[in-house]
């Protein structure tokens, strides 16, 4: 039987990488669970409430988007709208060109990856530098992040030390403290030289128009302290009704993502710097990005738009732990990616139609999801879509069910099969006529075949 | 109004139109996010300093303690908010070089930055900085040591209280410990882009 793409990625993953992905996802998952249950009387009620808040938001985007737009404008930000990835890139470029800007620092934005912004700007002679330590390393290696929260979970310190040496960031030294110090020294001058600081948004409060950003490293703070222009790329689903609701979501996000009570820096940004302040942006632009989200909203899988990108579903997923992030061939890996990536792919859906099958449907992802997304249900809906659309990748490694259907709908064939089942009890393994079954039987002992007596039992019951 | 705006909003409306009903905003009350081990109302500053130390913050109770910390680390060049300097100047021996403007061209020359905080959260050990309340965003961020000066009346008991009292300000930052990363092999390293030492000085 042909193997699924994800199995091939898993098979090619070097054992030491698999071990480190496994160890660190498991450790974060366990700490997360302990923290939530130690801290809150009813963490599952908390998750359910967070899910309801976000579901309310996405089902009322038609009302909320114009309100938040007006609020942002009143706060002094300029609001832009981008229907596609190309248009979002062009909007950012337009803002930069109008100011003669040539250098950008980026912090905390998955949307920029999704739309391929750095590459696009590079073609137009603009440097767009990643500032999160992990993302920076990914960028100098021309690699891709393999985890939503831990982008270089797939790299070890020796590989990083070699990359730093190659890039002229000092002699080979694989001490994590030294690596971090060198990045600190290098990047701070990049912030100071940059014209534009680009960020994403973890949340946007409709009530106040505040954009909320959380980081542990402080890179988004630096991106909003040194450059003169701030651009925020925001997926249209990132809204939260009131500032008060942030209490639920912030409490869940830090614990779910990194098992912290609160992320080190939580920023609430509602506009350019106040008059007379020495640092901070003079202009703020907010670009609302659709890029497929309205299609997701129209689909049977709109619940995935609740996602707050915490990575908890990756950490707990048995498939992610075996295959790591690159196996998902898209910006969003793991269970969330198995749903979101094919949906956002638009016409390229068939290329990722195998991802919804990269799941054992064990349900762990929903159990940990801070916004209680029914990921297993969504995966099933997408499997059905893949089959309905006849996407070849959706069928790879699915056992053919035709023979089964025939068997189950013909009484004579069914009876014969049941008899065959009874034969298995007495037949020595080497005489089993089906090679796959023989291989299976060699390693395991089947429980004794019990089937085939129901009809007899019914007949006797009727007689009496 | 851009055409793309109208196009996106039209698609949103079309996507939502078939829904028989829209999910309501859930009612939830404060108890939902109340910590189990919530301290009884009492000495919130004691609770703050305990939580602040737990996230590797450095609590300071006086100007003398501040200077002792800086001397111990060999951090002698720094910045101080001009509004705070008169109250602190007396503690600093002559060997210190303290400036009251932050020159971004010499960002590496500052070992420490002393700026005002506008509040603190006891439950999480968090300091609250703001745009208008902080004399220089860079001085509070770039030096290895950041000292946030807080006043006794600026404490909030928990996150909900702090959210309810968010000041009208374009850039509010909640700071909960020193800047940190675990990107390299999950090993915790402090002082990535921001301060490696985050201190809080309570000045009455
Ligand atoms: S789907 Fe849920 S668990 Fe997964 S990243 Fe999104 S919010 Fe976190």
């Amino acid at each position: 039987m042909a193997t699924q793409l994800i199995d091939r990625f898993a098979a090619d993953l070097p054992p030491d990488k698999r071990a480190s992905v496994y160890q660190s996802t498991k450790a974060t998952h366990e700490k997360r669970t302990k923290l939530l249950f130690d801290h809150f009387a009813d963490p599952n009620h908390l998750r359910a409430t967070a899910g309801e808040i976000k579901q309310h938001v996405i089902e009322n985007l038609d009302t909320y988007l114009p309100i938040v737009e007006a609020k942002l404008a009143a706060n002094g930000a300029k609001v832009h709208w981008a229907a596609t990835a190309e248009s979002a890139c062009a909007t950012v470029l337009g803002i930069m060109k109008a100011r003669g800007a040539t250098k950008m620092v980026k912090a905390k934005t998955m949307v920029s990856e999704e739309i391929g912004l750095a590459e696009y700007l590079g073609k137009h002679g603009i440097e767009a530098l990643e500032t999160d330590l992990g993302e920076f390393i990914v960028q100098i290696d021309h690699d891709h992040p393999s985890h939503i929260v831990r982008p270089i979970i797939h790299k070890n310190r020796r590989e990083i030390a070699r990359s730093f040496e190659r890039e002229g960031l000092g002699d080979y030294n694989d001490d994590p403290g030294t690596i971090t110090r060198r990045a600190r020294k290098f990047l701070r001058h990049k912030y100071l030289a940059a014209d534009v600081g680009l960020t994403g948004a973890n949340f946007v409060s409709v009530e106040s128009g505040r954009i909320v950003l959380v980081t542990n490293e402080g890179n988004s703070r630096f991106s909003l302290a040194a450059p003169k222009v701030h651009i925020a790329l925001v997926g249209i689903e990132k809204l939260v009704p009131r500032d008060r609701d942030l209490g639920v979501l912030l409490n869940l996000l830090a614990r779910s993502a990194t098992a912290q009570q609160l992320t080190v820096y939580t920023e609430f940004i509602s506009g350019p710097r106040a008059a007379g302040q020495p640092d901070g942006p003079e202009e703020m632009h907010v670009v609302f990005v659709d890029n497929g989200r309205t299609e997701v909203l129209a689909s049977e899988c709109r619940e995935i738009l609740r996602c707050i990108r915490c990575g908890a579903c990756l950490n707990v997923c048995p498939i992610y732990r075996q295959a790591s992030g690159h196996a998902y061939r898209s910006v969003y890996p793991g269970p969330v990616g198995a749903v979101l990536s094919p949906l956002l792919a638009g016409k390229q859906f068939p290329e990722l139609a195998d991802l919804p099958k990269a799941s054992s449907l064990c349900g762990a992802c929903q159990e940990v999801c801070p916004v209680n997304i029914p990921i297993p249900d969504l995966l099933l809906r997408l499997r059905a879509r893949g089959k309905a659309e006849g996407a070849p990748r959706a069928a790879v490694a699915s056992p053919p069910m035709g023979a089964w259907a025939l068997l189950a709908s013909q009484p004579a064939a069914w009876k014969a099969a049941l008899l065959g089942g009874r034969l298995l009890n007495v037949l020595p393994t080497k005489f089993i006529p089906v090679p796959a079954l023989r291989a299976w039987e060699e390693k395991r002992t089947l429980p004794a075949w019990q089937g085939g007596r129901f009809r007899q039992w019914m007949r006797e019951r009727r007689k009496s | 109004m851009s055409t793309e705006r109208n196009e996106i909003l039209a698609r949103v409306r079309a996507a939502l139109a078939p829904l028989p009903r829209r999910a309501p905003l859930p009612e939830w009350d404060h108890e939902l996010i109340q910590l189990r081990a919530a301290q009884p109302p009492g000495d919130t500053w004691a609770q703050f300093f305990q939580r602040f130390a737990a996230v590797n913050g450095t609590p300071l109770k006086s100007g003398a303690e501040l200077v002792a910390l800086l001397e111990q680390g060999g951090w002698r060049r720094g910045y101080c908010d001009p509004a705070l300097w008169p109250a602190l100047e007396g503690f600093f021996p002559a060997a210190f070089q303290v400036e009251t403007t932050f020159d971004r061209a010499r960002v590496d020359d500052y070992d420490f930055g002393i700026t005002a905080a506008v509040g603190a959260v006891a439950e999480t050990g968090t300091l609250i900085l703001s745009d208008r309340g902080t004399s220089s965003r860079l001085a509070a961020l770039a030096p290895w040591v950041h000292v946030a000066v807080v006043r006794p009346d600026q404490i909030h008991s928990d996150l909900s209280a702090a959210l309810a009292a968010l000041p009208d300000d374009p850039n509010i930052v909640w700071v909960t410990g020193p800047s940190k990363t675990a990107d390299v092999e999950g090993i915790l390293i402090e002082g990535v882009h921001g301060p490696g030492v985050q201190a809080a000085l309570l000045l009455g």
Side-chain angles (χ1 to χ4, degrees):
Chain A
M1 200 184 291
T3 47
Q4 294 185 43
L5 265 177
I6 198 141
D7 292 328
R8 277 186 251 156
F9 273 93
D12 291 345
L13 196 67
D16 60 321
K17 297 228 157 144
R18 180 172 11 254
S20 74
V21 169
Y22 182 83
Q23 286 308 332
S24 58
T25 51
K26 183 164 174 280
T28 309
H29 167 67
E30 283 165 2
K31 272 202 272 175
R32 163 229 166 251
T33 308
K34 179 165 170 13
L35 208 61
L36 275 172
F37 282 84
D38 281 356
H39 284 179
F40 295 113
D42 194 351
N44 283 330
H45 186 196
L46 188 53
R47 288 191 312 113
T49 308
E52 288 167 21
I53 292 172
K54 287 291 297 184
Q55 187 71 19
H56 166 76
V57 165
I58 62 170
E59 292 189 12
N60 289 277
L61 281 176
D62 49 349
T63 313
Y64 283 142
L65 282 168
I67 299 178
V68 78
E69 175 189 38
K71 194 73 213 174
L72 285 162
N75 290 343
K78 180 148 181 16
V79 180
H80 310 256
W81 299 81
T84 60
E86 300 75 59
S87 142
C89 288
T91 304
V92 173
L93 180 67
I95 296 167
M96 293 194 72
K97 275 201 163 155
R99 278 144 204 85
T102 56
K103 293 195 182 75
M104 165 187 281
V105 281
K106 285 169 66 186
K108 198 75 194 179
T109 155
M110 295 199 74
V111 174
S112 80
E113 302 249 356
E114 183 189 309
I115 63 174
L117 182 67
E119 213 191 344
Y120 176 92
L121 291 178
K123 284 194 196 128
H124 290 85
I126 289 174
E127 175 187 79
L129 196 69
E130 298 288 354
T131 56
D132 171 90
L133 178 60
E135 302 266 2
F136 171 68
I137 292 165
V138 160
Q139 191 174 36
I140 61 176
D141 281 353
H142 306 286
D143 194 358
H144 295 284
S146 65
H147 189 287
I148 293 180
V149 176
R150 300 265 319 276
I152 51 168
I153 197 167
H154 63 292
K155 283 186 198 288
N156 63 39
R157 62 176 85 184
R158 294 174 300 283
E159 297 170 77
I160 299 166
R162 282 195 292 275
S163 303
F164 270 47
E165 191 181 21
R166 184 193 66 223
E167 296 296 316
L169 295 166
D171 295 338
Y172 180 93
N173 188 324
D174 64 12
D175 165 50
T178 306
I179 289 169
T180 308
R181 224 59 78 225
R182 286 175 174 174
R184 172 185 174 95
K185 207 160 169 253
F186 175 77
L187 284 168
R188 58 185 39 217
H189 294 282
K190 292 291 187 180
Y191 294 115
L192 288 161
D195 308 298
V196 171
L198 182 93
T199 70
N202 288 92
F203 309 104
V204 184
S205 162
V206 175
E207 174 186 42
S208 62
R210 296 181 206 271
I211 287 185
V212 184
L213 279 170
V214 304
T215 71
N216 275 317
E217 296 185 3
N219 50 327
S220 70
R221 276 184 76 190
F222 232 127
S223 303
L224 296 183
K228 292 278 172 271
V229 178
H230 173 207
I231 304 176
L233 281 180
V234 185
I236 55 168
E237 81 283 16
K238 290 286 161 198
L239 310 185
V240 165
R242 306 162 298 191
D243 287 357
R244 176 175 187 267
D245 300 313
L246 294 168
V248 173
L249 293 158
L250 288 170
N251 265 309
L252 279 167
L253 178 56
R255 287 177 176 86
S256 304
T258 45
Q260 285 170 283
Q261 186 177 5
L262 199 59
T263 313
V264 173
Y265 302 118
T266 306
E267 297 163 73
F268 302 86
I269 300 131
S270 59
R273 73 185 188 208
Q277 287 302 96
D279 314 318
E282 291 160 1
E283 283 174 45
M284 177 176 174
H285 298 265
V286 176
V287 185
F288 279 115
V289 179
D290 178 347
N291 196 34
R293 285 165 175 74
T294 47
E295 252 176 76
V296 183
L297 190 63
S299 77
E300 289 298 302
C301 296
R302 67 179 68 83
E303 290 93 335
I304 200 67
L305 294 175
R306 292 182 203 161
C307 173
I308 59 173
R309 311 279 191 266
C310 72
C313 58
L314 281 62
N315 294 338
V316 78
C317 178
I319 312 293
Y320 178 86
R321 285 178 177 178
Q322 292 299 316
S324 188
H326 292 164
Y328 295 82
R329 295 137 33 224
S330 52
V331 177
Y332 305 101
V336 56
V339 178
L340 192 57
S341 299
L343 283 167
L344 289 182
K347 290 198 178 56
Q348 271 80 53
F349 173 82
E351 278 167 40
L352 298 176
D354 58 311
L355 290 182
K357 291 176 40 177
S359 168
S360 63
L361 301 178
C362 70
C365 45
Q366 176 171 8
E367 219 167 86
V368 299
C369 177
V371 283
N372 200 27
I373 300 175
I375 297 175
D377 289 351
L378 303 185
L379 290 169
L380 286 175
R381 285 173 215 167
L382 283 174
R383 289 182 188 185
R385 176 175 158 190
K387 189 158 167 50
E389 292 187 10
R393 284 198 171 157
V396 174
S398 285
M401 299 305 273
W404 169 255
L406 197 72
L407 196 67
S409 57
Q410 309 284 329
W414 183 251
K415 278 184 208 157
L418 289 178
L419 194 68
R422 231 173 291 163
L423 273 178
L424 274 182
N425 286 348
V426 290
L427 203 66
T429 310
K430 59 177 187 232
F431 293 129
I432 297 177
V434 186
L437 200 57
R438 194 162 57 228
W440 202 84
E441 268 268 88
E442 268 163 14
K443 298 221 176 77
R444 302 167 185 80
T445 320
L446 270 181
W449 181 270
Q450 309 246 354
R453 303 212 173 85
F454 180 74
R455 283 185 179 75
Q456 198 185 341
W457 174 82
M458 272 296 272
R459 270 197 302 275
E460 273 156 25
R461 193 165 177 267
R462 276 208 199 106
K463 269 188 247 160
S464 59
Chain B
M1 292 291 140
S2 78
T3 52
E4 255 174 292
R5 170 193 188 272
N6 295 338
E7 192 187 310
I8 292 171
L9 290 178
R11 285 214 295 259
V12 168
R13 279 191 297 271
L16 295 172
L19 296 187
R21 52 176 272 283
R22 311 280 183 96
L25 182 60
E27 291 295 329
W28 61 272
D29 58 40
H30 177 65
E31 263 168 40
L32 184 70
I33 52 172
Q34 183 97 56
L35 293 194
R36 270 180 201 242
Q39 237 102 3
D43 192 349
T44 39
W45 277 110
Q47 197 195 339
F48 166 79
F49 278 118
Q50 187 243 321
R51 291 301 312 154
F52 185 64
V55 291
N56 282 359
T58 308
L60 300 169
K61 301 275 171 58
S62 67
E65 275 188 32
L66 163 62
V67 172
L69 170 81
L70 297 177
E71 286 201 310
Q72 201 191 352
W75 300 303
R76 294 184 184 268
R77 293 174 307 175
Y79 164 91
C80 182
D81 177 343
L84 296 170
W85 187 232
L88 293 172
E89 192 174 1
F91 295 98
F92 281 79
F96 281 86
Q97 268 177 280
V98 182
E99 300 172 34
T100 52
T101 51
F102 190 86
D103 179 1
R104 57 188 270 159
R106 294 186 292 112
V107 65
D108 292 329
D109 288 355
Y110 301 87
D111 301 325
F112 60 87
I114 306 172
T115 66
V118 296
V121 187
E123 176 189 72
T124 49
T126 299
L127 290 160
I128 306 176
L129 314 182
S130 76
D131 183 40
R132 292 194 184 88
T134 303
S135 50
S136 160
R137 288 190 203 187
L138 281 172
L141 181 64
W144 183 252
V145 183
H146 177 234
V147 182
V149 179
V150 268
R151 289 198 323 266
D153 60 341
Q154 292 176 318
I155 188 100
H156 303 282
S157 58
D158 56 25
L159 285 192
S160 300
L163 278 171
L166 279 179
D168 178 17
D169 187 281
N171 189 290
I172 299 159
V173 187
W174 288 356
V175 177
T176 312
S179 151
K180 67 179 185 188
T181 185
D183 274 350
V184 181
E185 293 188 8
I187 295 160
L188 179 71
I189 304 291
E190 292 181 333
V192 191
H193 307 281
V197 175
Q198 178 64 58
L201 169 61
L202 180 61
L203 272 195

